[in-house]
mmCIF file of all heavy atoms in Angstrom:
data_model
loop_
_atom_site.group_PDB
_atom_site.id
_atom_site.type_symbol
_atom_site.label_atom_id
_atom_site.label_comp_id
_atom_site.label_asym_id
_atom_site.label_seq_id
_atom_site.Cartn_x
_atom_site.Cartn_y
_atom_site.Cartn_z
ATOM 1 N N ALA A 399 -3.930 -4.134 6.823
ATOM 2 C CA ALA A 399 -4.973 -3.157 6.438
ATOM 3 C C ALA A 399 -6.318 -3.853 6.351
ATOM 4 O O ALA A 399 -7.346 -3.293 6.801
ATOM 5 C CB ALA A 399 -4.619 -2.501 5.113
ATOM 6 N N TYR A 400 -6.358 -5.060 5.784
ATOM 7 C CA TYR A 400 -7.620 -5.814 5.677
ATOM 8 C C TYR A 400 -8.209 -6.100 7.059
ATOM 9 O O TYR A 400 -9.402 -5.893 7.307
ATOM 10 C CB TYR A 400 -7.418 -7.122 4.900
ATOM 11 C CG TYR A 400 -8.386 -8.229 5.264
ATOM 12 C CD1 TYR A 400 -9.736 -8.135 4.915
ATOM 13 C CD2 TYR A 400 -7.955 -9.340 5.987
ATOM 14 C CE1 TYR A 400 -10.626 -9.147 5.278
ATOM 15 C CE2 TYR A 400 -8.847 -10.337 6.356
ATOM 16 C CZ TYR A 400 -10.182 -10.242 5.989
ATOM 17 O OH TYR A 400 -11.056 -11.226 6.366
ATOM 18 N N VAL A 401 -7.374 -6.571 7.971
ATOM 19 C CA VAL A 401 -7.880 -6.904 9.316
ATOM 20 C C VAL A 401 -8.372 -5.625 10.017
ATOM 21 O O VAL A 401 -9.448 -5.617 10.642
ATOM 22 C CB VAL A 401 -6.798 -7.613 10.145
ATOM 23 C CG1 VAL A 401 -7.226 -7.742 11.614
ATOM 24 C CG2 VAL A 401 -6.550 -9.022 9.578
ATOM 25 N N MET A 402 -7.625 -4.542 9.863
ATOM 26 C CA MET A 402 -8.060 -3.268 10.457
ATOM 27 C C MET A 402 -9.402 -2.847 9.858
ATOM 28 O O MET A 402 -10.318 -2.421 10.563
ATOM 29 C CB MET A 402 -7.020 -2.182 10.219
ATOM 30 C CG MET A 402 -5.803 -2.314 11.109
ATOM 31 S SD MET A 402 -4.624 -0.981 10.789
ATOM 32 C CE MET A 402 -5.573 0.445 11.331
ATOM 33 N N ALA A 403 -9.495 -2.954 8.540
ATOM 34 C CA ALA A 403 -10.731 -2.532 7.859
ATOM 35 C C ALA A 403 -11.909 -3.411 8.289
ATOM 36 O O ALA A 403 -13.039 -2.964 8.390
ATOM 37 C CB ALA A 403 -10.546 -2.567 6.345
ATOM 38 N N HIS A 404 -11.645 -4.698 8.551
ATOM 39 C CA HIS A 404 -12.670 -5.619 9.046
ATOM 40 C C HIS A 404 -13.134 -5.175 10.441
ATOM 41 O O HIS A 404 -14.327 -5.139 10.713
ATOM 42 C CB HIS A 404 -12.090 -7.035 9.071
ATOM 43 C CG HIS A 404 -12.976 -8.053 9.759
ATOM 44 N ND1 HIS A 404 -13.776 -8.925 9.069
ATOM 45 C CD2 HIS A 404 -13.158 -8.336 11.073
ATOM 46 C CE1 HIS A 404 -14.445 -9.695 9.926
ATOM 47 N NE2 HIS A 404 -14.078 -9.353 11.156
ATOM 48 N N GLU A 405 -12.196 -4.831 11.312
ATOM 49 C CA GLU A 405 -12.551 -4.378 12.664
ATOM 50 C C GLU A 405 -13.336 -3.068 12.600
ATOM 51 O O GLU A 405 -14.288 -2.863 13.356
ATOM 52 C CB GLU A 405 -11.317 -4.208 13.537
ATOM 53 C CG GLU A 405 -10.491 -5.483 13.753
ATOM 54 C CD GLU A 405 -11.319 -6.650 14.240
ATOM 55 O OE1 GLU A 405 -12.376 -6.438 14.854
ATOM 56 O OE2 GLU A 405 -10.928 -7.793 13.975
ATOM 57 N N VAL A 406 -12.920 -2.173 11.697
ATOM 58 C CA VAL A 406 -13.660 -0.916 11.522
ATOM 59 C C VAL A 406 -15.056 -1.251 11.024
ATOM 60 O O VAL A 406 -16.042 -0.589 11.373
ATOM 61 C CB VAL A 406 -12.912 0.034 10.565
ATOM 62 C CG1 VAL A 406 -13.783 1.217 10.180
ATOM 63 C CG2 VAL A 406 -11.599 0.520 11.206
ATOM 64 N N GLY A 407 -15.174 -2.326 10.219
ATOM 65 C CA GLY A 407 -16.479 -2.795 9.760
ATOM 66 C C GLY A 407 -17.382 -3.145 10.934
ATOM 67 O O GLY A 407 -18.581 -2.857 10.932
ATOM 68 N N HIS A 408 -16.807 -3.758 11.997
ATOM 69 C CA HIS A 408 -17.608 -4.042 13.189
ATOM 70 C C HIS A 408 -18.047 -2.749 13.878
ATOM 71 O O HIS A 408 -19.139 -2.656 14.439
ATOM 72 C CB HIS A 408 -16.812 -4.894 14.177
ATOM 73 C CG HIS A 408 -16.709 -6.337 13.782
ATOM 74 N ND1 HIS A 408 -17.796 -7.095 13.428
ATOM 75 C CD2 HIS A 408 -15.632 -7.177 13.669
ATOM 76 C CE1 HIS A 408 -17.413 -8.328 13.129
ATOM 77 N NE2 HIS A 408 -16.098 -8.390 13.271
ATOM 78 N N HIS A 409 -17.167 -1.758 13.824
ATOM 79 C CA HIS A 409 -17.540 -0.431 14.395
ATOM 80 C C HIS A 409 -18.725 0.147 13.601
ATOM 81 O O HIS A 409 -19.672 0.686 14.200
ATOM 82 C CB HIS A 409 -16.318 0.481 14.347
ATOM 83 C CG HIS A 409 -16.612 1.878 14.817
ATOM 84 N ND1 HIS A 409 -16.999 2.167 16.106
ATOM 85 C CD2 HIS A 409 -16.607 3.059 14.147
ATOM 86 C CE1 HIS A 409 -17.199 3.489 16.229
ATOM 87 N NE2 HIS A 409 -16.989 4.048 15.049
ATOM 88 N N VAL A 410 -18.676 0.043 12.290
ATOM 89 C CA VAL A 410 -19.759 0.521 11.443
ATOM 90 C C VAL A 410 -21.068 -0.202 11.822
ATOM 91 O O VAL A 410 -22.118 0.417 11.957
ATOM 92 C CB VAL A 410 -19.416 0.349 9.938
ATOM 93 C CG1 VAL A 410 -20.630 0.561 9.053
ATOM 94 C CG2 VAL A 410 -18.273 1.283 9.550
ATOM 95 N N GLN A 411 -20.980 -1.529 12.015
ATOM 96 C CA GLN A 411 -22.163 -2.301 12.412
ATOM 97 C C GLN A 411 -22.690 -1.832 13.773
ATOM 98 O O GLN A 411 -23.902 -1.823 14.009
ATOM 99 C CB GLN A 411 -21.807 -3.784 12.505
ATOM 100 C CG GLN A 411 -21.501 -4.414 11.163
ATOM 101 C CD GLN A 411 -20.962 -5.849 11.310
ATOM 102 O OE1 GLN A 411 -20.199 -6.129 12.248
ATOM 103 N NE2 GLN A 411 -21.336 -6.703 10.371
ATOM 104 N N ASN A 412 -21.773 -1.440 14.623
ATOM 105 C CA ASN A 412 -22.180 -0.931 15.930
ATOM 106 C C ASN A 412 -22.926 0.398 15.775
ATOM 107 O O ASN A 412 -23.996 0.594 16.335
ATOM 108 C CB ASN A 412 -20.897 -0.745 16.796
ATOM 109 C CG ASN A 412 -21.215 -0.411 18.236
ATOM 110 O OD1 ASN A 412 -22.302 -0.737 18.741
ATOM 111 N ND2 ASN A 412 -20.288 0.242 18.897
ATOM 112 N N LEU A 413 -22.382 1.304 14.941
ATOM 113 C CA LEU A 413 -23.023 2.600 14.716
ATOM 114 C C LEU A 413 -24.381 2.435 14.043
ATOM 115 O O LEU A 413 -25.322 3.183 14.315
ATOM 116 C CB LEU A 413 -22.129 3.501 13.877
ATOM 117 C CG LEU A 413 -20.773 3.914 14.475
ATOM 118 C CD1 LEU A 413 -20.046 4.851 13.535
ATOM 119 C CD2 LEU A 413 -20.964 4.575 15.848
ATOM 120 N N LEU A 414 -24.471 1.479 13.121
ATOM 121 C CA LEU A 414 -25.721 1.305 12.372
ATOM 122 C C LEU A 414 -26.772 0.509 13.163
ATOM 123 O O LEU A 414 -27.921 0.378 12.723
ATOM 124 C CB LEU A 414 -25.447 0.590 11.034
ATOM 125 C CG LEU A 414 -24.580 1.337 10.027
ATOM 126 C CD1 LEU A 414 -24.364 0.494 8.776
ATOM 127 C CD2 LEU A 414 -25.194 2.696 9.654
ATOM 128 N N GLY A 415 -26.382 -0.056 14.287
ATOM 129 C CA GLY A 415 -27.329 -0.832 15.107
ATOM 130 C C GLY A 415 -27.420 -2.293 14.706
ATOM 131 O O GLY A 415 -28.165 -3.063 15.321
ATOM 132 N N THR A 416 -26.686 -2.704 13.681
ATOM 133 C CA THR A 416 -26.731 -4.102 13.230
ATOM 134 C C THR A 416 -26.237 -5.027 14.325
ATOM 135 O O THR A 416 -26.791 -6.109 14.565
ATOM 136 C CB THR A 416 -25.839 -4.303 11.991
ATOM 137 O OG1 THR A 416 -25.941 -3.172 11.141
ATOM 138 C CG2 THR A 416 -26.221 -5.546 11.219
ATOM 139 N N ALA A 417 -25.160 -4.623 14.970
ATOM 140 C CA ALA A 417 -24.534 -5.508 15.965
ATOM 141 C C ALA A 417 -25.472 -5.765 17.142
ATOM 142 O O ALA A 417 -25.610 -6.918 17.580
ATOM 143 C CB ALA A 417 -23.216 -4.873 16.453
ATOM 144 N N SER A 418 -26.165 -4.729 17.630
ATOM 145 C CA SER A 418 -27.039 -4.936 18.782
ATOM 146 C C SER A 418 -28.274 -5.768 18.382
ATOM 147 O O SER A 418 -28.762 -6.578 19.156
ATOM 148 C CB SER A 418 -27.453 -3.622 19.428
ATOM 149 O OG SER A 418 -28.030 -2.776 18.448
ATOM 150 N N GLU A 419 -28.738 -5.548 17.169
ATOM 151 C CA GLU A 419 -29.874 -6.331 16.648
ATOM 152 C C GLU A 419 -29.496 -7.823 16.598
ATOM 153 O O GLU A 419 -30.270 -8.696 16.998
ATOM 154 C CB GLU A 419 -30.272 -5.809 15.260
ATOM 155 C CG GLU A 419 -31.384 -6.581 14.572
ATOM 156 C CD GLU A 419 -32.728 -6.546 15.309
ATOM 157 O OE1 GLU A 419 -32.860 -5.728 16.231
ATOM 158 O OE2 GLU A 419 -33.610 -7.338 14.943
ATOM 159 N N VAL A 420 -28.289 -8.103 16.123
ATOM 160 C CA VAL A 420 -27.835 -9.486 16.042
ATOM 161 C C VAL A 420 -27.701 -10.098 17.446
ATOM 162 O O VAL A 420 -28.130 -11.228 17.682
ATOM 163 C CB VAL A 420 -26.507 -9.589 15.258
ATOM 164 C CG1 VAL A 420 -25.833 -10.954 15.464
ATOM 165 C CG2 VAL A 420 -26.773 -9.355 13.772
ATOM 166 N N ARG A 421 -27.172 -9.329 18.383
ATOM 167 C CA ARG A 421 -27.038 -9.850 19.747
ATOM 168 C C ARG A 421 -28.426 -10.169 20.334
ATOM 169 O O ARG A 421 -28.619 -11.155 21.023
ATOM 170 C CB ARG A 421 -26.303 -8.854 20.648
ATOM 171 C CG ARG A 421 -24.788 -9.015 20.556
ATOM 172 C CD ARG A 421 -24.055 -8.272 21.700
ATOM 173 N NE ARG A 421 -24.254 -6.837 21.639
ATOM 174 C CZ ARG A 421 -23.523 -5.999 20.902
ATOM 175 N NH1 ARG A 421 -22.552 -6.469 20.161
ATOM 176 N NH2 ARG A 421 -23.752 -4.695 20.919
ATOM 177 N N ARG A 422 -29.399 -9.298 20.016
ATOM 178 C CA ARG A 422 -30.751 -9.510 20.519
ATOM 179 C C ARG A 422 -31.341 -10.812 19.934
ATOM 180 O O ARG A 422 -31.885 -11.638 20.656
ATOM 181 C CB ARG A 422 -31.631 -8.329 20.117
ATOM 182 C CG ARG A 422 -32.992 -8.267 20.801
ATOM 183 C CD ARG A 422 -33.825 -7.102 20.273
ATOM 184 N NE ARG A 422 -34.179 -7.258 18.859
ATOM 185 C CZ ARG A 422 -35.114 -8.063 18.385
ATOM 186 N NH1 ARG A 422 -35.809 -8.808 19.217
ATOM 187 N NH2 ARG A 422 -35.370 -8.143 17.093
ATOM 188 N N LEU A 423 -31.167 -10.995 18.612
ATOM 189 C CA LEU A 423 -31.673 -12.196 17.966
ATOM 190 C C LEU A 423 -30.963 -13.450 18.491
ATOM 191 O O LEU A 423 -31.578 -14.508 18.647
ATOM 192 C CB LEU A 423 -31.470 -12.101 16.446
ATOM 193 C CG LEU A 423 -32.375 -11.099 15.714
ATOM 194 C CD1 LEU A 423 -31.911 -10.927 14.271
ATOM 195 C CD2 LEU A 423 -33.826 -11.548 15.765
ATOM 196 N N GLN A 424 -29.673 -13.311 18.768
ATOM 197 C CA GLN A 424 -28.904 -14.476 19.228
ATOM 198 C C GLN A 424 -29.430 -14.967 20.569
ATOM 199 O O GLN A 424 -29.402 -16.170 20.843
ATOM 200 C CB GLN A 424 -27.428 -14.132 19.336
ATOM 201 C CG GLN A 424 -26.737 -14.160 17.983
ATOM 202 C CD GLN A 424 -25.277 -13.721 18.051
ATOM 203 O OE1 GLN A 424 -24.943 -12.812 18.829
ATOM 204 N NE2 GLN A 424 -24.416 -14.328 17.248
ATOM 205 N N GLN A 425 -29.898 -14.036 21.398
ATOM 206 C CA GLN A 425 -30.376 -14.442 22.720
ATOM 207 C C GLN A 425 -31.624 -15.311 22.637
ATOM 208 O O GLN A 425 -31.918 -16.055 23.564
ATOM 209 C CB GLN A 425 -30.629 -13.198 23.586
ATOM 210 C CG GLN A 425 -29.345 -12.784 24.295
ATOM 211 C CD GLN A 425 -29.322 -11.327 24.688
ATOM 212 O OE1 GLN A 425 -30.357 -10.678 24.736
ATOM 213 N NE2 GLN A 425 -28.135 -10.811 24.980
ATOM 214 N N GLN A 426 -32.363 -15.199 21.531
ATOM 215 C CA GLN A 426 -33.562 -16.046 21.417
ATOM 216 C C GLN A 426 -33.367 -17.177 20.413
ATOM 217 O O GLN A 426 -34.335 -17.695 19.881
ATOM 218 C CB GLN A 426 -34.784 -15.186 21.098
ATOM 219 C CG GLN A 426 -34.442 -14.026 20.207
ATOM 220 C CD GLN A 426 -35.601 -13.032 20.037
ATOM 221 O OE1 GLN A 426 -36.304 -13.141 19.064
ATOM 222 N NE2 GLN A 426 -35.783 -12.091 20.950
ATOM 223 N N SER A 427 -32.120 -17.507 20.108
ATOM 224 C CA SER A 427 -31.854 -18.549 19.100
ATOM 225 C C SER A 427 -31.185 -19.749 19.731
ATOM 226 O O SER A 427 -30.610 -19.659 20.812
ATOM 227 C CB SER A 427 -30.911 -18.037 18.023
ATOM 228 O OG SER A 427 -31.296 -16.759 17.588
ATOM 229 N N SER A 428 -31.231 -20.854 18.991
ATOM 230 C CA SER A 428 -30.439 -22.026 19.376
ATOM 231 C C SER A 428 -28.970 -21.718 19.136
ATOM 232 O O SER A 428 -28.637 -20.737 18.464
ATOM 233 C CB SER A 428 -30.848 -23.224 18.511
ATOM 234 O OG SER A 428 -30.435 -22.989 17.177
ATOM 235 N N ASN A 429 -28.101 -22.563 19.651
ATOM 236 C CA ASN A 429 -26.665 -22.368 19.448
ATOM 237 C C ASN A 429 -26.288 -22.303 17.983
ATOM 238 O O ASN A 429 -25.510 -21.473 17.541
ATOM 239 C CB ASN A 429 -25.865 -23.515 20.084
ATOM 240 C CG ASN A 429 -25.591 -23.213 21.540
ATOM 241 O OD1 ASN A 429 -25.774 -22.075 21.985
ATOM 242 N ND2 ASN A 429 -25.171 -24.227 22.263
ATOM 243 N N VAL A 430 -26.864 -23.242 17.205
ATOM 244 C CA VAL A 430 -26.518 -23.302 15.783
ATOM 245 C C VAL A 430 -26.958 -22.040 15.068
ATOM 246 O O VAL A 430 -26.235 -21.453 14.279
ATOM 247 C CB VAL A 430 -27.155 -24.566 15.130
ATOM 248 C CG1 VAL A 430 -26.956 -24.554 13.625
ATOM 249 C CG2 VAL A 430 -26.544 -25.835 15.723
ATOM 250 N N GLU A 431 -28.192 -21.582 15.402
ATOM 251 C CA GLU A 431 -28.685 -20.358 14.780
ATOM 252 C C GLU A 431 -27.853 -19.136 15.201
ATOM 253 O O GLU A 431 -27.579 -18.255 14.396
ATOM 254 C CB GLU A 431 -30.156 -20.110 15.149
ATOM 255 C CG GLU A 431 -31.126 -21.046 14.454
ATOM 256 C CD GLU A 431 -32.510 -21.067 15.126
ATOM 257 O OE1 GLU A 431 -32.623 -20.603 16.295
ATOM 258 O OE2 GLU A 431 -33.447 -21.533 14.493
ATOM 259 N N ALA A 432 -27.475 -19.126 16.465
ATOM 260 C CA ALA A 432 -26.656 -18.008 16.952
ATOM 261 C C ALA A 432 -25.321 -17.971 16.218
ATOM 262 O O ALA A 432 -24.819 -16.904 15.868
ATOM 263 C CB ALA A 432 -26.442 -18.129 18.468
ATOM 264 N N ASN A 433 -24.774 -19.158 15.965
ATOM 265 C CA ASN A 433 -23.503 -19.211 15.196
ATOM 266 C C ASN A 433 -23.710 -18.686 13.783
ATOM 267 O O ASN A 433 -22.873 -17.993 13.239
ATOM 268 C CB ASN A 433 -22.961 -20.640 15.149
ATOM 269 C CG ASN A 433 -22.318 -21.044 16.465
ATOM 270 O OD1 ASN A 433 -22.046 -20.191 17.317
ATOM 271 N ND2 ASN A 433 -22.078 -22.334 16.628
ATOM 272 N N GLU A 434 -24.852 -19.052 13.173
ATOM 273 C CA GLU A 434 -25.129 -18.575 11.818
ATOM 274 C C GLU A 434 -25.218 -17.044 11.768
ATOM 275 O O GLU A 434 -24.739 -16.411 10.852
ATOM 276 C CB GLU A 434 -26.436 -19.192 11.278
ATOM 277 C CG GLU A 434 -26.251 -20.637 10.831
ATOM 278 C CD GLU A 434 -27.579 -21.362 10.578
ATOM 279 O OE1 GLU A 434 -28.644 -20.696 10.663
ATOM 280 O OE2 GLU A 434 -27.532 -22.568 10.328
ATOM 281 N N LEU A 435 -25.851 -16.471 12.800
ATOM 282 C CA LEU A 435 -25.961 -15.024 12.852
ATOM 283 C C LEU A 435 -24.568 -14.411 13.013
ATOM 284 O O LEU A 435 -24.258 -13.365 12.408
ATOM 285 C CB LEU A 435 -26.829 -14.604 14.052
ATOM 286 C CG LEU A 435 -28.338 -14.789 13.840
ATOM 287 C CD1 LEU A 435 -29.074 -14.783 15.174
ATOM 288 C CD2 LEU A 435 -28.867 -13.678 12.916
ATOM 289 N N SER A 436 -23.738 -15.053 13.805
ATOM 290 C CA SER A 436 -22.370 -14.564 13.994
ATOM 291 C C SER A 436 -21.607 -14.581 12.656
ATOM 292 O O SER A 436 -20.894 -13.629 12.315
ATOM 293 C CB SER A 436 -21.664 -15.423 15.052
ATOM 294 O OG SER A 436 -20.276 -15.183 14.992
ATOM 295 N N VAL A 437 -21.790 -15.671 11.902
ATOM 296 C CA VAL A 437 -21.140 -15.781 10.589
ATOM 297 C C VAL A 437 -21.578 -14.616 9.700
ATOM 298 O O VAL A 437 -20.758 -13.956 9.068
ATOM 299 C CB VAL A 437 -21.445 -17.126 9.915
ATOM 300 C CG1 VAL A 437 -21.036 -17.114 8.444
ATOM 301 C CG2 VAL A 437 -20.737 -18.270 10.635
ATOM 302 N N SER A 438 -22.888 -14.334 9.667
ATOM 303 C CA SER A 438 -23.394 -13.251 8.833
ATOM 304 C C SER A 438 -22.776 -11.908 9.226
ATOM 305 O O SER A 438 -22.417 -11.100 8.378
ATOM 306 C CB SER A 438 -24.914 -13.142 8.941
ATOM 307 O OG SER A 438 -25.498 -14.340 8.461
ATOM 308 N N LEU A 439 -22.662 -11.694 10.525
ATOM 309 C CA LEU A 439 -22.094 -10.434 11.020
ATOM 310 C C LEU A 439 -20.612 -10.317 10.595
ATOM 311 O O LEU A 439 -20.183 -9.256 10.152
ATOM 312 C CB LEU A 439 -22.202 -10.422 12.557
ATOM 313 C CG LEU A 439 -22.131 -9.069 13.266
ATOM 314 C CD1 LEU A 439 -23.303 -8.174 12.863
ATOM 315 C CD2 LEU A 439 -22.130 -9.271 14.784
ATOM 316 N N GLU A 440 -19.888 -11.417 10.714
ATOM 317 C CA GLU A 440 -18.480 -11.424 10.339
ATOM 318 C C GLU A 440 -18.290 -11.222 8.839
ATOM 319 O O GLU A 440 -17.397 -10.483 8.408
ATOM 320 C CB GLU A 440 -17.807 -12.735 10.773
ATOM 321 C CG GLU A 440 -17.728 -12.910 12.272
ATOM 322 C CD GLU A 440 -16.914 -11.809 12.941
ATOM 323 O OE1 GLU A 440 -15.967 -11.301 12.312
ATOM 324 O OE2 GLU A 440 -17.248 -11.440 14.078
ATOM 325 N N LEU A 441 -19.137 -11.890 8.057
ATOM 326 C CA LEU A 441 -19.007 -11.758 6.591
ATOM 327 C C LEU A 441 -19.327 -10.315 6.164
ATOM 328 O O LEU A 441 -18.732 -9.775 5.247
ATOM 329 C CB LEU A 441 -19.914 -12.748 5.861
ATOM 330 C CG LEU A 441 -19.513 -14.219 6.050
ATOM 331 C CD1 LEU A 441 -20.535 -15.128 5.354
ATOM 332 C CD2 LEU A 441 -18.105 -14.509 5.516
ATOM 333 N N GLN A 442 -20.265 -9.692 6.885
ATOM 334 C CA GLN A 442 -20.579 -8.301 6.546
ATOM 335 C C GLN A 442 -19.386 -7.387 6.878
ATOM 336 O O GLN A 442 -19.117 -6.448 6.144
ATOM 337 C CB GLN A 442 -21.834 -7.847 7.284
ATOM 338 C CG GLN A 442 -22.359 -6.535 6.757
ATOM 339 C CD GLN A 442 -23.609 -6.095 7.480
ATOM 340 O OE1 GLN A 442 -23.619 -5.994 8.708
ATOM 341 N NE2 GLN A 442 -24.683 -5.852 6.743
ATOM 342 N N ALA A 443 -18.678 -7.703 7.955
ATOM 343 C CA ALA A 443 -17.465 -6.917 8.277
ATOM 344 C C ALA A 443 -16.418 -7.110 7.191
ATOM 345 O O ALA A 443 -15.711 -6.153 6.828
ATOM 346 C CB ALA A 443 -16.912 -7.316 9.649
ATOM 347 N N ASP A 444 -16.328 -8.306 6.627
ATOM 348 C CA ASP A 444 -15.418 -8.527 5.498
ATOM 349 C C ASP A 444 -15.879 -7.738 4.274
ATOM 350 O O ASP A 444 -15.057 -7.156 3.545
ATOM 351 C CB ASP A 444 -15.372 -10.029 5.132
ATOM 352 C CG ASP A 444 -14.524 -10.824 6.122
ATOM 353 O OD1 ASP A 444 -13.555 -10.250 6.685
ATOM 354 O OD2 ASP A 444 -14.808 -12.010 6.292
ATOM 355 N N PHE A 445 -17.185 -7.717 4.070
ATOM 356 C CA PHE A 445 -17.761 -6.945 2.965
ATOM 357 C C PHE A 445 -17.395 -5.463 3.140
ATOM 358 O O PHE A 445 -16.936 -4.793 2.195
ATOM 359 C CB PHE A 445 -19.275 -7.142 2.935
ATOM 360 C CG PHE A 445 -19.991 -6.203 2.022
ATOM 361 C CD1 PHE A 445 -20.047 -6.432 0.654
ATOM 362 C CD2 PHE A 445 -20.625 -5.063 2.522
ATOM 363 C CE1 PHE A 445 -20.693 -5.540 -0.202
ATOM 364 C CE2 PHE A 445 -21.282 -4.176 1.680
ATOM 365 C CZ PHE A 445 -21.315 -4.426 0.307
ATOM 366 N N TYR A 446 -17.559 -4.935 4.348
ATOM 367 C CA TYR A 446 -17.228 -3.526 4.604
ATOM 368 C C TYR A 446 -15.718 -3.261 4.369
ATOM 369 O O TYR A 446 -15.339 -2.190 3.928
ATOM 370 C CB TYR A 446 -17.628 -3.109 6.008
ATOM 371 C CG TYR A 446 -19.125 -2.949 6.213
ATOM 372 C CD1 TYR A 446 -19.710 -3.177 7.456
ATOM 373 C CD2 TYR A 446 -19.963 -2.546 5.174
ATOM 374 C CE1 TYR A 446 -21.080 -3.033 7.655
ATOM 375 C CE2 TYR A 446 -21.333 -2.398 5.359
ATOM 376 C CZ TYR A 446 -21.881 -2.639 6.597
ATOM 377 O OH TYR A 446 -23.248 -2.500 6.810
ATOM 378 N N ALA A 447 -14.900 -4.255 4.707
ATOM 379 C CA ALA A 447 -13.465 -4.100 4.444
ATOM 380 C C ALA A 447 -13.218 -3.962 2.941
ATOM 381 O O ALA A 447 -12.376 -3.176 2.493
ATOM 382 C CB ALA A 447 -12.690 -5.284 4.994
ATOM 383 N N GLY A 448 -14.009 -4.720 2.140
ATOM 384 C CA GLY A 448 -13.917 -4.623 0.699
ATOM 385 C C GLY A 448 -14.416 -3.272 0.187
ATOM 386 O O GLY A 448 -13.815 -2.673 -0.714
ATOM 387 N N VAL A 449 -15.515 -2.775 0.761
ATOM 388 C CA VAL A 449 -16.042 -1.449 0.387
ATOM 389 C C VAL A 449 -14.984 -0.380 0.645
ATOM 390 O O VAL A 449 -14.710 0.471 -0.192
ATOM 391 C CB VAL A 449 -17.337 -1.138 1.160
ATOM 392 C CG1 VAL A 449 -17.753 0.326 0.963
ATOM 393 C CG2 VAL A 449 -18.476 -2.045 0.708
ATOM 394 N N PHE A 450 -14.375 -0.451 1.832
ATOM 395 C CA PHE A 450 -13.307 0.506 2.170
ATOM 396 C C PHE A 450 -12.195 0.448 1.130
ATOM 397 O O PHE A 450 -11.746 1.456 0.609
ATOM 398 C CB PHE A 450 -12.771 0.215 3.575
ATOM 399 C CG PHE A 450 -11.399 0.779 3.799
ATOM 400 C CD1 PHE A 450 -11.219 2.143 4.002
ATOM 401 C CD2 PHE A 450 -10.266 -0.034 3.760
ATOM 402 C CE1 PHE A 450 -9.957 2.683 4.165
ATOM 403 C CE2 PHE A 450 -8.997 0.485 3.919
ATOM 404 C CZ PHE A 450 -8.837 1.862 4.126
ATOM 405 N N THR A 451 -11.772 -0.782 0.826
ATOM 406 C CA THR A 451 -10.660 -0.964 -0.120
ATOM 407 C C THR A 451 -11.012 -0.392 -1.495
ATOM 408 O O THR A 451 -10.176 0.204 -2.170
ATOM 409 C CB THR A 451 -10.288 -2.445 -0.198
ATOM 410 O OG1 THR A 451 -9.959 -2.908 1.117
ATOM 411 C CG2 THR A 451 -9.091 -2.687 -1.111
#
Side-chain angles (χ1 to χ4, degrees):
Y400 153 70
V401 170
M402 285 181 65
H404 171 100
E405 300 308 335
V406 170
H408 284 310
H409 176 64
V410 168
Q411 292 172 323
N412 188 24
L413 296 183
L414 296 179
T416 322
S418 54
E419 176 63 12
V420 165
R421 274 194 296 276
R422 192 183 65 76
L423 289 170
Q424 281 176 324
Q425 273 156 17
Q426 35 189 263
S427 315
S428 68
N429 274 347
V430 173
E431 287 164 344
N433 284 346
E434 282 168 6
L435 284 162
S436 166
V437 167
S438 297
L439 201 64
E440 293 300 327
L441 293 177
Q442 193 179 54
D444 284 330
F445 169 80
Y446 287 150
V449 169
F450 159 75
T451 303

